[in-house]
Amino acid sequence: MTTCVVTGGAGFIGCALSTALADRFDRVVALDNLHPQVHEDQVRPPGLDQRVELFRADVTVASDWERLLDHVTPDVIVHLAAETGTAQSLTEASRHGLVNVVGTTRMLDALATRGVRPRSIVLTSSRAVYGEGAWRDRRTGGISYPGQRSHAMLTSGQWEFPGLEPVPHSSRTVRPAPSSIYGSTKLCQENLVAAWCQSMGVASVLFRLQNVYGPGQSLSNPYTGIVPLFARIAKAGKSIPVYEDGEIVRDFVFIDDVASAIVAGTGLDSSTADPFDIGSGSGTSIMQLATWIAARYGAPAPHVTGEFRDGDVRSGVADIEAAQAALAWRPAVPVERGIGLLCDWIDGSEQY
């Protein structure tokens, strides 16, 4: 029998993976604490494939790992469990550190204590590890790392670095420099998993995800993403407020495309030299996103507020070339179509 354990397996991405994993493995166990911020009713989500066993546990609790390993010997672990949210992490740093960092070390310690060596650990990290990332001089083409945009810079309405343009995120060429607590904890996760796996003869497969969206997102979680938030505002007949000057750029990648990449990653038997960057491969401005959603609901045109979030980055777009080559994978859902599919689901969702 082949067994896959998915931490955070009852969440948005875990549910999207569940059917494909149940088809691939003889046994799939989703470890999840059903946190009320994500699971308002704290019950098994309907999107979790019925063949998947739900094991209610907390990745930060050592005894929970012991209970799991009493009954399960994983061949592959897909480590999704994490606290997310750039803004939230600034005021709840300990919570993010506990779940993302200590939760990972609890898992590794439990495996080491029991002598369990999975074939691989697949970790979902985040584009947040790059921070502002690399920028190119428009005149000379030179690459520099201007660092985090300061509070004073944002207060003055200086949204970009003069004379520079952002470079797509590639783990092969752009070094990580997180500008948030959340991003820092995700980079720590990567280092922990890679170091442990290298020492233990376990393959580490690392993914850096861009902005994941789609049907199945938690609509009660205020940190789940801006697409459901914008839809809620537009459905109420209001103008969507857009931060900064509206030209913040994000790479929105549809949940089915993310799931297919991760499932492909579970088939790898050797460690990835560099994390895979997973996105659509193209950027969408927040104003464009808001305009699409407003048009969908016949709402007033979006408006620029000039507000900002400390620690937020100006641009995030993935270079997906390496992932496409290594995983025989490519994103299939263009962002405008994906937004429509998400809005269709929101409109028919009882959660809304």
Side-chain angles (χ1 to χ4, degrees), residues 108-293:
L108 301 177
D109 284 349
L111 295 172
T113 299
R114 291 297 185 95
V116 175
R117 302 293 183 268
R119 174 169 57 81
S120 66
I121 296 178
V122 179
L123 171 69
T124 52
S125 184
S126 167
R127 63 153 181 89
V129 304
Y130 290 109
E132 288 292 349
W135 289 61
R136 179 182 294 108
D137 189 295
R138 288 190 174 95
R139 184 175 58 84
T140 67
I143 299 296
S144 63
Y145 289 81
Q148 183 174 346
R149 298 181 297 169
S150 68
H151 182 78
M153 179 179 171
L154 296 172
T155 301
S156 69
Q158 183 182 336
W159 310 124
E160 296 190 347
F161 302 100
L164 304 179
E165 60 184 6
V167 172
H169 295 160
S170 168
S171 64
R172 295 170 298 171
T173 57
V174 178
R175 70 170 185 256
S179 60
S180 68
I181 301 296
Y182 167 62
S184 299
T185 62
K186 295 302 287 185
L187 182 59
C188 185
Q189 269 190 328
E190 290 184 16
N191 292 333
L192 290 167
V193 169
W196 188 89
C197 288
Q198 181 69 19
S199 297
M200 297 295 184
V202 175
S204 60
V205 181
L206 311 179
F207 289 92
R208 291 176 178 169
L209 308 183
Q210 294 283 327
N211 286 58
V212 186
Y213 74 98
Q217 282 186 279
S218 171
L219 301 179
S220 62
N221 181 0
Y223 301 99
T224 195
I226 63 171
V227 181
L229 172 62
F230 282 4
R232 184 177 298 116
I233 294 169
K235 280 172 70 73
K238 300 176 181 178
S239 171
I240 298 171
V242 180
Y243 278 17
E244 298 187 16
D245 60 352
E247 295 307 312
I248 300 169
V249 171
R250 292 291 182 269
D251 186 335
F252 294 97
V253 56
F254 196 67
I255 181 59
D256 292 359
D257 291 331
V258 172
S260 63
I262 295 171
V263 171
T266 65
L268 298 181
D269 293 320
S270 58
S271 295
T272 53
D274 300 293
F276 293 124
D277 294 287
I278 301 297
S280 69
S282 62
T284 300
S285 75
I286 302 303
M287 178 55 80
Q288 179 63 72
L289 174 71
T291 300
W292 283 334
I293 295 174

Side-chain angles (χ1 to χ4, degrees), residues 18-83:
S18 63
T19 296
L21 291 180
D23 289 342
R24 176 175 285 236
F25 293 90
D26 297 306
R27 184 184 188 190
V28 179
V29 180
L31 183 156
D32 204 296
N33 67 352
L34 299 181
H35 195 287
Q37 181 172 301
V38 179
H39 303 276
E40 195 170 22
D41 299 327
Q42 295 188 280
V43 297
R44 182 187 179 103
L48 186 64
D49 192 286
Q50 289 301 311
R51 294 171 291 174
V52 174
E53 302 168 42
L54 177 58
F55 185 87
R56 189 163 182 180
D58 191 320
V59 292
T60 70
V61 177
S63 60
D64 282 359
W65 280 105
E66 292 172 7
R67 286 194 300 115
L68 175 74
L69 295 178
D70 281 341
H71 305 285
V72 180
T73 302
D75 297 286
V76 174
I77 296 175
V78 179
H79 191 31
L80 305 175
E83 287 291 347

